Amino acid sequence: REGLKALLRHIDRRARFNEAKDWRQAASAVLRLDPDMIVIDWHNAMRMADLRTLLNAFPRIPAAIIVDEASTAQVRILLSAGVLGIVPRNLDPTLIVRALEMVLLGGHYVPACALDPTLEPIFLPRRDTAPKEFRKGSRRFNTLSLRQQQIMRCVHMGSTHKVIAKTLGISE
């Protein structure tokens, strides 16, 4: 869960989180905090009826489920319960962030293997799919110095001038 929180901070540096031990605490937290998104760490011991109750009580809040297995049947059940995103735990961290961003914006995310299990080998993550000229560290399109890149990363994370200066050990 700490890893998931770190990933969610890529979406919003100032994100706040609340963990709940059970469905009643989750509902209470949603009422109290008015969150932008509900993310549930799904385990097989959880009951679908409890999930439906929570999501029916808060239909305007997008919800994503982090799962171990994303079978076609399970994905259909979760989507019918009102979940917008079903995100496999073993997905690349960057893809997890993108999937959760999509859900936060009101879109859907369903893993390719859930569409048709026979297609899974075709959709395995490919590590070297970016064209050479767009790869990270490419000199052709990378016109920023290393320091400028560090500053831009901080800006992208939403840091203020003061925080950037303190983080990088430079004057504001």
Side-chain angles (χ1 to χ4, degrees), residues 6-7 12 49 81 86 101 103 125 132 152 160-161 168:
L7 289 176
D12 183 352
I86 296 94
E101 283 178 331
V103 170
K132 284 186 179 183
M152 286 308 296
T160 63
H161 292 264
L168 299 179

Side-chain angles (χ1 to χ4, degrees), residues 3-88:
L4 183 58
K5 288 177 188 177
L7 289 176
L8 288 167
R9 283 195 178 90
H10 287 307
I11 298 172
D12 183 352
R13 180 96 172 152
R14 295 163 290 167
R16 293 175 306 170
F17 307 97
N18 189 355
E19 292 187 40
K21 293 179 186 176
D22 57 29
W23 296 105
R24 191 168 18 135
Q25 278 189 3
S28 172
V30 171
L31 281 171
R32 189 175 68 253
L33 301 172
D34 189 30
D36 295 322
M37 179 170 58
I38 298 171
V39 180
I40 299 168
D41 185 15
W42 187 261
H43 297 284
N44 290 333
M46 294 178 157
R47 293 178 0 151
M48 192 61 63
D50 294 328
L51 173 65
R52 286 180 200 274
T53 302
L54 178 70
L55 298 182
N56 287 338
F58 307 101
R60 293 182 181 218
I61 301 174
I65 303 278
I66 309 295
V67 296
D68 287 324
E69 173 202 347
S71 67
T72 304
Q74 184 181 24
V75 166
R76 285 181 185 207
I77 291 169
L78 291 169
L79 287 172
S80 70
V83 174
L84 294 182
I86 296 94
V87 183

Side-chain angles (χ1 to χ4, degrees), residues 114-146:
L115 300 175
D116 183 354
T118 62
L119 296 176
E120 187 169 4
I122 297 169
F123 289 115
L124 286 176
R126 289 171 276 181
R127 293 285 173 209
D128 199 28
T129 57
K132 284 186 179 183
E133 62 269 12
F134 292 112
R135 286 193 189 131
K136 193 174 184 177
S138 167
R139 297 308 302 160
R140 183 172 173 194
F141 290 99
N142 194 358
T143 58
L144 298 178
S145 70
L146 290 176

